């Protein structure tokens, strides 16, 4: 159970933001109006993971992983949200994605919502769960915060407070 003080803060510089922005067109799914922002944030989360895991994001591939886990070497899928950085936030994985990719580990990366879009300076790696821990929970129908209508898909959700701390993650 990680506490907010245990979250790993990764500094995001202009070069990482520029790379994430440049890679958006190749990654965007074009499902919703939010897709470009979702792609950008997802790439930022993956780059933050690479900085923590490998010490550098320069050689980390964020474009060649379509349909695969984000970090195939480690079996890790990074799930990034721009929201409050808090133990009450959730790791959310679409039900269909969890069944297709079956990552060994899912890592929650949070971008503080108060940071200006496109000028983010921090990403927090908050915790992780295994695939089995994720799918042991019943999937929840996603409902739009704006319209109150179902979004047409379900997600597995784990409260951040129920994740394992990042320093406990042991990878080969």
């Amino acid at each position: 159970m990680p506490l907010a003080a245990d979250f790993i803060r990764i500094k995001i510089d202009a070069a990482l933001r520029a790379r994430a922005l440049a890679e958006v067109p190749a990654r965007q799914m074009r499902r919703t109006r939010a897709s470009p922002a979702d792609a950008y944030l997802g790439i930022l989360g993956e780059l933050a993971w690479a900085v923590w895991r490998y010490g550098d994001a320069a050689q980390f591939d964020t474009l060649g992983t379509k349909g695969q886990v984000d970090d195939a070497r480690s079996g890790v899928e990074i799930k990034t949200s721009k929201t409050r950085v808090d133990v009450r936030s959730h790791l959310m994985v679409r039900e269909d994605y969890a069944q297709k990719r079956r990552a060994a580990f899912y890592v929650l990366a949070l971008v503080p919502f108060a940071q200006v879009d496109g000028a983010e300076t921090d990403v927090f790696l908050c915790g992780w769960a295994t695939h089995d821990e994720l799918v042991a929970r019943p999937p929840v129908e996603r409902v739009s915060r704006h319209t109150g209508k179902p979004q047409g898909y379900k997600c597995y959700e784990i409260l951040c407070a129920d994740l394992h701390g990042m320093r406990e993650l042991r990878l080969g």
Side-chain angles (χ1 to χ4, degrees):
M1 172 195 290
L3 302 173
D6 297 324
F7 296 171
I8 309 267
R9 173 186 254 161
I10 304 298
K11 300 303 281 177
I12 302 298
D13 61 17
L16 291 176
R17 288 190 300 275
R19 177 177 168 187
L21 189 59
E23 292 180 1
V24 165
R27 289 275 305 271
Q28 183 181 345
M29 295 299 291
R30 301 192 198 327
R31 281 191 302 262
T32 67
R33 281 181 283 157
S35 290
D38 291 346
Y40 170 75
L41 291 172
I43 296 165
L44 274 185
E46 291 171 30
L47 295 174
W49 162 260
V51 167
W52 183 69
R53 172 80 169 110
Y54 302 108
D56 182 24
Q59 300 303 313
F60 191 75
D61 180 13
T62 64
L63 295 178
T65 59
K66 189 172 184 175
Q68 303 170 34
V69 297
D70 297 324
D71 183 357
R73 288 185 281 176
S74 299
V76 173
E77 179 77 10
I78 311 302
K79 303 312 292 181
T80 308
S81 295
K82 189 166 189 176
T83 188
R84 68 178 184 256
V85 178
D86 191 283
V87 294
R88 294 171 292 175
S89 295
H90 288 81
L91 169 69
M92 294 184 287
V93 180
R94 281 179 59 134
E95 182 181 34
D96 53 336
Y97 290 1
Q99 298 308 325
K100 286 180 192 172
R101 293 189 182 124
R102 300 188 64 84
F105 305 100
Y106 295 88
V107 170
L108 175 61
L110 295 178
V111 178
F113 71 92
Q115 293 183 92
V116 175
D117 292 344
E120 294 82 3
T121 57
D122 300 292
V123 173
F124 291 83
L125 302 178
C126 300
W128 59 275
T130 67
H131 178 80
D132 290 341
E133 290 167 336
L134 181 77
V135 300
R137 298 176 181 249
V140 176
E141 180 74 32
R142 296 300 302 154
V143 175
S144 170
R145 290 184 187 175
H146 303 289
T147 66
K149 295 180 181 177
Q151 293 181 303
Y153 60 90
K154 293 181 179 181
C155 285
Y156 296 106
E157 296 183 8
I158 299 179
L159 186 65
C160 184
D162 293 336
L163 297 173
H164 304 280
M166 290 303 298
R167 288 176 182 84
E168 299 171 26
L169 185 56
R170 302 289 178 244
L171 302 169

